Amino acid sequence: GMTVAEAMLLGKPVIATDYGGTTDFLDASTGFPVTYTEVTLTRDFGPYRAGSVWAEPDDAHAARQMRAVFDDPITAASRAKQAKERIEHDYSAQAIGTQIRDRLTYLARYY
């Protein structure tokens, strides 16, 4: 998800598979998620072992999302702006540091 988050932070329209960790920050308000089909790998593929589940993006939907970015630059820019704001607000060093501090405070208090 780092590449997706970095593109969002740069204010770029993002098109990515709607699966995995990126769904924590990429949705239809901050980008252009692409539908997928879950596929179980029947053989090893690089670091992914047979039996692992893979999100196979829907090529036709990805193409429609690309077309949407091209055809409607105002919506693309609006979502990109929302994406940048989400990453800056929710995933900045300050935001993550605050979450860590709060969790450590809770753990120290109750454990």
Side-chain angles (χ1 to χ4, degrees):
M2 288 296 293
T3 303
V4 171
E6 289 168 348
M8 291 170 71
L9 183 60
L10 291 171
K12 303 294 183 187
V14 174
I15 302 165
T17 307
D18 192 23
Y19 183 84
T22 58
T23 63
D24 289 345
F25 42 85
L26 180 73
D27 58 38
S29 70
T30 59
F32 298 83
V34 175
T35 58
Y36 63 90
T37 303
E38 285 189 3
V39 175
T40 301
L41 298 180
T42 57
R43 62 179 177 82
D44 293 348
F45 189 82
Y48 305 99
R49 298 289 166 231
S52 298
V53 176
W54 185 284
E56 188 66 39
D58 178 331
D59 292 340
H61 188 240
R64 287 192 303 276
Q65 295 291 56
M66 287 181 224
R67 191 84 229 175
V69 169
F70 182 81
D71 287 343
D72 189 354
I74 293 171
T75 297
S78 175
R79 290 186 193 183
K81 182 178 183 284
Q82 287 291 111
K84 180 176 174 56
E85 291 171 359
R86 179 173 293 173
I87 296 298
E88 287 175 341
H89 183 266
D90 296 345
Y91 297 94
S92 68
Q94 179 68 35
I96 299 303
T98 298
Q99 289 177 27
I100 292 169
R101 184 201 63 222
D102 292 349
R103 183 64 179 159
L104 290 173
T105 299
Y106 172 84
L107 291 173
R109 185 176 300 137
Y110 296 105
Y111 294 96

